[in-house]
Amino acid sequence: MAQVEQFQYDNAIVRKFAYATMVFGAVGILVGLLAALQLVFPALNFATAETTFGRIRPLHTNAAIFAFVGNGIFMGVYYSLQRLLKTNMYSKFLNEFHFWGWQAIILAAAISLPLGITSSKEYAELEWPIDLAIAAVWVAFGVNMFGTILKRRENHLYVAIWFYIATWVTVTVLHIGNNLEIPVSMWKSYPVFAGVQDALIQWWYGHNAVAFFLTTPYLGLMYYFLPKAANRPVYSYQLSIIHFWALIFIYIWAGPHHLLYTSLPDWAQSLGTVFSIMLIAPSWGGMLNGLLTLRGAWDRVRQDPILKFMVVAVTAYGMATFEGPMLSIKSVNAISHFTDWTVGHVHIGTLGWNGFLTFGVLYWLIPRIFQTQLYSQKLANAHFWIGTLGIMFYSIPLYWAGWTQSLMWKQFTPDGFLQYGNFLETVTQIIPMYALRAVGGALYVGGYFVMLYNLVKTIKSGTFQAYEAAEAPARVATAGAHKGEHWHRWIERRPVQLLIGSTIAILIGGMVEIFPMVMIGDQVPKIESVKPYTALELQGRDLYIREGCISCHTQMVRPFRSETERYGEYSKSGEFIYDRPFLWGSKRTGPDLHRLGNKYPDSWHYNHMLDPTSMSPGSIMPVYPWLIEDDLDNSLLPAKIAVLRTLGTPYEEGYEEEAIADAEKQAAEVAARLRKDGIEGDNLEQKEIIALIAYLQRLGTDIKPAPQAGN
């Protein structure tokens, strides 16, 4: 018989991540509420660069995903891992390094994103020094987790740990793959891949960041905390095996469904659709395994707010993972893509699945580590109902807005003309729905602060137990399979093999989709007339990225009659070969810009950026006075040209020495045209607005429109 060993669970690191979760959750949703209100009341952009929608929207997504959900993951993992393995964490130093390193990364994001320091890649906006810091902290987390697993006293690895392992290895692969970039300076870089290739790699990352940061670790938390809260075993061990392996294998293929009807080759789009539809099976298997775990405990759901939160969280997971595959069907995606329908869909997952499961875990965990009872069950129940109403008021208006947008974009008159030829008509029509969305966000925020009050009072009423005494028999290693046991038990005793198996499962899909795109040249046909950006246009493009214009504008005309009538010739893959990063976007709050070049005079763009309503009455776009006031900084231009030439952009050797003079020459031409239209200003040719105008006037002008029938 194995000797019983005594040890202590480390609750100190759990408390730190719990506090960070509580604080950054408030920050993330408050910034999100501000962004929602800005779409109703544009004055709330405050005519200040750092608070405009384009800059705070990525701040909101990063705070919600990496600060709130990220800290929530680590809180749950550090609590459950120790108890499932019957041991304390491997290294106190790595505990502290992980915690403080992660908070430093969040602080760096909170400073850099409002300053316009961004790569523009969705969910991966942070620049290269912060990317390196993320890698270092993530490796520390992995070492600590695997060190803890290897010194465990429990032979068997419970299902939650399978999901933790798959999360760690997949996020590692995704982070490296999507952040291959060459630095220009301390806070500027260009990605290795361009155009269509960059788009595929970004959405391989972007979709799987949702899959392996917002989903798989939370499934691990569900498999631990839901049975604990319900005091019931997991419904089906066999179902958990199918759920795990099918999910991690299939999920990695689904990224191209974000790029349907774009310039991505059809074979990649089709793969994304097929595997996205297949995702319904493992996703719903996990949802049903969670809900059926409550068999015999449904009477407690009526009174227990923790179970209420968890039930709605798992239900929201089921809703989101049904809707996602449906939105991946091309005929449905033709309606939904670029609309607010997608935003509503995403927030069912984040507010319902991630938010409510985090709330349930906090309500369950905080009283235990503080050795007390929850301060108020009534307040927790009130939070549940306020939060649920908030989700409904948030998502339903956005679904309605999305359907309205799509129908208006595609509507033709009996004579064959666009019914709503002015894109702004399709925006002003849905402002009431944006207002209702903001009401839903405000309710969700209100419920959140009810929770904070309840948890603070709980903490004050208890005594924190930093190190919790425990005991367990020493582990006795076993070799081979035991007679009569399930075949999967073999790998559950072998974490290294489980890690290798998970890595192989997630690499297959990525290799099949990405390797042909980046290794086979004819996947992206060249167009002879497409030339690199001029020095001034390149500067303007980087300003476009800095201001977050991609949050509201796409640069991808899809091959639909409604889009070619509105914007012009549909977009070709060869037009983007020098676009680093790609800027196709994922949401149209404003019109598509890929065929904007030469559509309006330079003075129109100048006035539009100074006061959008002067050119488009009723516009909800922010004002950009600093573009008119601030001088363009060309100091990095030679380094930018050198890096882009290294990456394959055909700038002539030595052009970096001429780039500044070339930019100044083109700027003088733009300024002269503005003055001709009556726009004056001191040193007009030196202002940032000149570079942005040059870039906007270049968009879509490299190819000539296809001739009309009969011409």
Side-chain angles (χ1 to χ4, degrees), residues 158 223 226-228 230-237 289-290 292-295:
Y158 179 62
Y223 274 115
L226 181 59
K228 285 287 187 181
N231 198 25
R232 294 287 188 278
V234 169
Y235 172 69
S236 171
Y237 167 68
N289 214 8
L292 291 173
T293 296
L294 293 168
R295 67 200 185 285

Side-chain angles (χ1 to χ4, degrees), residues 168-249:
W168 185 83
V169 69
T170 311
V171 170
T172 302
V173 171
L174 294 171
H175 182 70
I176 294 170
N178 194 46
N179 289 296
L180 295 174
E181 53 208 6
I182 297 182
V184 172
S185 68
M186 186 65 180
W187 299 110
K188 179 64 183 175
S189 64
Y190 287 120
V192 169
F193 300 105
V196 176
Q197 296 166 335
D198 189 40
L200 177 62
I201 290 169
Q202 158 57 23
W203 282 113
W204 165 74
Y205 165 89
H207 179 78
N208 291 301
V210 173
F212 289 91
F213 203 85
L214 298 178
T215 304
T216 54
Y218 266 66
L219 288 168
L221 300 186
M222 178 197 79
Y223 274 115
Y224 180 81
F225 287 101
L226 181 59
K228 285 287 187 181
N231 198 25
R232 294 287 188 278
V234 169
Y235 172 69
S236 171
Y237 167 68
Q238 287 83 359
L239 187 55
S240 69
I241 297 171
I242 298 170
H243 176 209
F244 173 74
W245 288 107
L247 193 79
I248 68 168
F249 174 74

Side-chain angles (χ1 to χ4, degrees), residues 471-513:
E471 61 180 26
R475 180 166 70 99
V476 178
T478 56
H482 296 291
K483 186 176 180 181
E485 76 173 357
H486 194 278
W487 63 268
H488 197 261
R489 291 282 180 177
W490 179 87
I491 200 169
E492 291 168 29
R493 292 193 295 271
R494 291 166 173 79
V496 175
Q497 287 88 332
L498 187 59
L499 171 66
I500 294 170
S502 300
T503 305
I504 293 170
I506 63 100
L507 283 178
I508 292 172
M511 292 171 66
V512 169
E513 288 179 343

Side-chain angles (χ1 to χ4, degrees), residues 407-409 411 417-423 425-426 566:
L407 291 172
M408 292 181 75
W409 292 346
Q411 183 65 44
F417 298 103
L418 285 170
Q419 178 78 43
Y420 305 100
N422 183 356
F423 186 90
E425 292 179 274
T426 71
R566 186 182 300 277

Side-chain angles (χ1 to χ4, degrees), residues 13 17 78 89-101 136-137 139-148:
I13 188 62
F17 278 115
Y78 276 106
M89 292 305 299
Y90 171 69
S91 167
K92 287 185 180 180
F93 168 77
L94 290 176
N95 288 352
E96 297 298 312
F97 179 81
H98 178 198
F99 175 78
W100 291 110
V137 173
V139 167
F141 168 54
V143 171
N144 205 12
M145 179 172 70
F146 280 100
T148 305

Side-chain angles (χ1 to χ4, degrees), residues 535-608:
L536 188 65
E537 290 162 358
L538 181 63
Q539 291 287 72
R541 191 173 196 271
D542 286 341
L543 290 173
Y544 183 98
I545 291 169
R546 185 190 75 184
E547 299 305 332
C549 301
I550 193 173
S551 293
C552 295
H553 293 283
T554 59
Q555 291 187 24
M556 173 53 61
V557 181
R558 296 174 294 177
F560 301 150
R561 179 187 169 211
S562 59
E563 297 210 2
T564 56
E565 285 288 323
R566 186 182 300 277
Y567 303 117
E569 184 74 7
Y570 69 88
S571 302
K572 315 293 194 299
S573 59
E575 294 183 79
F576 304 102
I577 57 174
Y578 304 126
D579 281 16
R580 287 186 167 89
F582 86 110
L583 296 175
W584 295 358
S586 57
K587 171 74 172 66
R588 281 182 188 155
T589 306
D592 187 273
L593 302 182
H594 192 220
R595 299 289 178 225
L596 182 66
N598 297 328
K599 186 175 181 180
Y600 303 106
D602 294 349
S603 57
W604 188 95
H605 290 293
Y606 183 98
N607 289 318
H608 188 240

Side-chain angles (χ1 to χ4, degrees), residues 112-417:
S112 62
L113 291 172
L115 290 176
I117 299 170
T118 174
S119 70
S120 89
K121 293 191 170 188
E122 198 148 6
Y123 316 136
E125 292 90 350
L126 304 179
E127 268 292 358
W128 69 270
I130 309 176
D131 288 338
L132 292 178
I134 292 170
V137 173
W138 192 254
V139 167
F141 168 54
V143 171
N144 205 12
M145 179 172 70
F146 280 100
T148 305
I149 291 171
L150 293 175
K151 73 168 201 169
R152 69 195 185 278
R153 293 181 176 85
E154 173 66 50
N155 263 319
H156 171 252
L157 298 181
Y158 179 62
V159 58
I161 300 173
W162 315 346
F163 281 100
Y164 300 160
I165 291 172
T167 295
W168 185 83
V169 69
T170 311
V171 170
T172 302
V173 171
L174 294 171
H175 182 70
I176 294 170
N178 194 46
N179 289 296
L180 295 174
E181 53 208 6
I182 297 182
V184 172
S185 68
M186 186 65 180
W187 299 110
K188 179 64 183 175
S189 64
Y190 287 120
V192 169
F193 300 105
V196 176
Q197 296 166 335
D198 189 40
L200 177 62
I201 290 169
Q202 158 57 23
W203 282 113
W204 165 74
Y205 165 89
H207 179 78
N208 291 301
V210 173
F212 289 91
F213 203 85
L214 298 178
T215 304
T216 54
Y218 266 66
L219 288 168
L221 300 186
M222 178 197 79
Y223 274 115
Y224 180 81
F225 287 101
L226 181 59
K228 285 287 187 181
N231 198 25
R232 294 287 188 278
V234 169
Y235 172 69
S236 171
Y237 167 68
Q238 287 83 359
L239 187 55
S240 69
I241 297 171
I242 298 170
H243 176 209
F244 173 74
W245 288 107
L247 193 79
I248 68 168
F249 174 74
I250 295 173
Y251 233 136
I252 209 81
W253 295 75
H257 76 221
H258 290 266
L259 299 169
L260 300 183
Y261 291 112
T262 67
S263 300
L264 187 74
D266 280 347
W267 66 265
Q269 296 185 37
S270 298
L271 273 178
T273 296
V274 168
F275 280 89
S276 297
I277 294 170
M278 290 168 63
L279 263 177
I280 294 177
S283 298
W284 272 50
M287 177 198 70
L288 293 172
N289 214 8
L291 291 178
L292 291 173
T293 296
L294 293 168
R295 67 200 185 285
W298 284 101
D299 57 313
R300 289 177 48 209
V301 176
R302 287 195 297 271
Q303 290 84 30
D304 189 342
I306 295 172
L307 289 180
K308 282 191 181 79
F309 276 110
M310 292 184 175
V311 165
V312 171
V314 176
T315 304
Y317 169 66
M319 292 169 60
T321 53
F322 174 78
E323 187 181 17
M326 293 301 101
L327 293 174
S328 304
I329 299 171
K330 276 197 162 184
S331 55
V332 179
N333 190 271
I335 300 169
S336 70
H337 200 47
F338 296 148
T339 75
D340 284 295
W341 184 350
T342 305
V343 182
H345 158 66
V346 167
H347 282 80
I348 288 290
T350 51
L351 299 178
W353 166 236
N354 297 115
F356 269 34
L357 190 60
T358 304
F359 302 154
V361 171
L362 282 168
Y363 280 128
W364 186 89
L365 188 150
I366 292 292
R368 279 166 175 77
I369 64 175
F370 281 90
Q371 305 176 87
T372 187
Q373 297 295 313
L374 183 64
Y375 172 71
S376 172
Q377 294 280 331
K378 287 185 177 180
L379 285 177
N381 275 304
H383 174 204
F384 169 79
W385 289 112
I386 295 168
T388 302
L389 280 173
I391 294 172
M392 294 174 67
F393 271 95
Y394 189 103
S395 56
I396 293 173
L398 285 188
Y399 287 134
W400 200 279
W403 301 328
T404 302
Q405 284 171 306
S406 189
L407 291 172
M408 292 181 75
W409 292 346
K410 296 175 182 294
Q411 183 65 44
F412 283 85
T413 67
D415 296 324
F417 298 103

